[in-house]
Amino acid sequence: MDFEFTKEEKALQEEVRKFIKKESTPEMLKETEEMGDIYGAPEGRKIIQKMAAKGWLTPTWPKEYGGLGLSDVASYMIREEMGYHGLPFGFIAAHMAGPTILRFGSDDMKKKWLPRIASGELEFALGYTEPQAGSDLSALNLRAEDKGDYFLLNGNKLFNTSCHIADCHWLACRTDFTVAKHKGVSMMIVDLNSPGITISPMVTMAGWQTNEVVYEDVHVPKDRLVGEKNKGFYYLMAALDFERMFPLGRYRRVFDEVVEYTKETILDGKPLSKDPLIRQKLAQLSTEIEVTRLLYYQLAHILDKGGIPNYQSSMEKTFATECAQRIVNVGMDILGLYGQLKEDSKWSQLKGKVEKFYRTSIVETIYAGTSEIQRNIIAQRGLGLPR
Ligand SMILES: Cc1cc2nc3c(=O)[nH]c(=O)nc-3n(C[C@H](O)[C@H](O)[C@H](O)COP(=O)(O)OP(=O)(O)OC[C@H]3O[C@@H](n4cnc5c(N)ncnc54)[C@H](O)[C@@H]3O)c2cc1C
């Protein structure tokens, strides 16, 4: 397999870099950091809507739904660039819900939602986890009663990250309590400003917000049901495969800055970059970063061939997020006590990035499925080992 970009993809990469340089502002970068790199807050929306106007938010989608019909490799490259340059890259509507609607939604649903997603007008939040349903999502219990022309929703969600800034909830709920757990789940698109929804913040160790969401007698029109009733668990699993595709851009940036730091910082009359132990650690990491890059673009390659990566997404997610932890661990070793200081300290180095990403990297091996769960998937679906 040839992982080189084509001439067209390289030209697009150049164009995207120029665009980012021209359009990104310090306010956007700060907001993205505070939001944990997700999209939906006001500053991020400005640049995403400009990107969307060029077709870059959903470049792989058919033209009739606001795409450019480009390769997934091109789409992955755009996200990688956004992450590297400190802009939002986690697009829930465009990269998780949208592709699921494209595959499983009715024609009406596609016409109604996809162009609005592709234009950047709408962002979604993921609504899967509940107090008793995290790794085992089939245990979710948010009740959706069929009332004829609408569903009546009651129950609690936890860790629903962008609900406080998104427009819609991509919601998994239970529409049948009498059948096997995974057979009674449905997916719906719910307006987050519907009466009866209460969103309360849960601040993570990374400093950004996730949420508890309570549904009390919320009315959801029937046309918000995704695909068929009670088939939602399969759609959710497909959406999770799309979610577990992690560009490493922002950590690659931290790594590049740490490498520069070792060249510029003199200790005992010598640059840190001449220390053999530091060189070994950086060389090892650069190899792992390259492996992550290949795993990441392999997912795009599978999509380009018409497949949906499955255990391969789990491999990439696990390797990328654990590699991110190794990058910041080495960053901490190299910066020594300076590494623990936040940006506002006069002694902090690299604008406190290593400290911030150190905390961020911990939650990333938990959300979208923990590393243990990813390894279970790789063992079962990848290696065919028994459950
Ligand atoms: C910062 C953050 C943001 C999040 N954002 C969202 C969001 O936007 N939307 C959303 O719906 N959810 C979100 N989540 C929820 C996340 O997906 C869950 O936290 C995660 O899937 C783990 O579920 P749990 O917390 O219930 O842990 P549990 O499932 O209770 O697991 C606890 C521990 O047991 C291990 N474990 C569980 N089952 C097994 C098993 N079968 N084999 C081996 N080990 C096992 C787990 O790996 C973990 O270490 C977020 C979580 C975090 C931390």
Side-chain angles (χ1 to χ4, degrees), residues 19 47-57 78 82 91:
F19 169 86
I47 193 161
I48 302 301
Q49 285 172 359
K50 283 186 186 169
M51 269 183 69
K54 288 174 170 287
W56 291 348
L57 184 57
I78 294 171
M82 301 287 284
F91 310 122

Side-chain angles (χ1 to χ4, degrees), residues 272-335:
L272 286 176
S273 57
K274 292 214 166 172
D275 181 313
L277 194 55
I278 288 177
R279 293 164 73 92
Q280 292 288 318
K281 286 186 175 183
L282 293 177
Q284 171 68 23
L285 279 179
S286 72
T287 312
E288 294 182 22
I289 289 170
E290 185 60 15
V291 171
T292 310
R293 196 179 81 88
L294 297 180
L295 285 172
Y296 176 69
Y297 282 108
Q298 185 204 34
L299 301 178
H301 180 76
I302 294 171
L303 286 168
D304 278 334
K305 280 174 42 190
I308 298 184
N310 174 258
Y311 67 88
Q312 299 94 334
S313 301
S314 296
M315 283 180 175
E316 196 272 346
K317 197 259 175 182
T318 310
F319 199 82
T321 53
E322 293 184 358
C323 178
Q325 290 186 352
R326 290 190 286 273
I327 291 172
V328 283
N329 278 338
V330 168
M332 275 286 177
D333 285 350
I334 291 174
L335 264 57

Side-chain angles (χ1 to χ4, degrees), residues 126 128-129 134-135 159-161 204 208 366-367 370 372-373 376:
L126 297 175
Y128 307 146
T129 309
S135 299
F159 294 119
N160 281 195
T161 299
T204 64
W208 44 264
I366 301 172
Y367 62 55
T370 64
E372 290 79 15
I373 295 302
N376 282 349

Side-chain angles (χ1 to χ4, degrees), residues 92 125-137 157-163 169-170 204-206 208-211 240 243-244 363-373 376:
I92 292 164
L126 297 175
Y128 307 146
T129 309
E130 295 183 10
Q132 76 298 341
S135 299
D136 178 14
L137 278 180
K157 291 279 170 189
L158 266 194
F159 294 119
N160 281 195
T161 299
S162 29
C163 282
H169 214 180
W170 176 251
T204 64
M205 65 185 294
W208 44 264
Q209 179 173 338
T210 180
N211 303 286
L240 276 175
E243 187 182 355
R244 292 169 181 159
V363 297
E364 290 182 357
T365 54
I366 301 172
Y367 62 55
T370 64
S371 287
E372 290 79 15
I373 295 302
N376 282 349

Side-chain angles (χ1 to χ4, degrees), residues 142-143 151-156 194-199 213-219:
L142 191 138
R143 173 185 289 270
F151 291 102
L152 185 68
L153 270 54
N154 279 289
N156 289 28
S194 308
I197 298 182
T198 309
I199 300 169
V213 185
V214 178
Y215 274 76
E216 276 175 304
D217 288 337
V218 177
H219 290 227

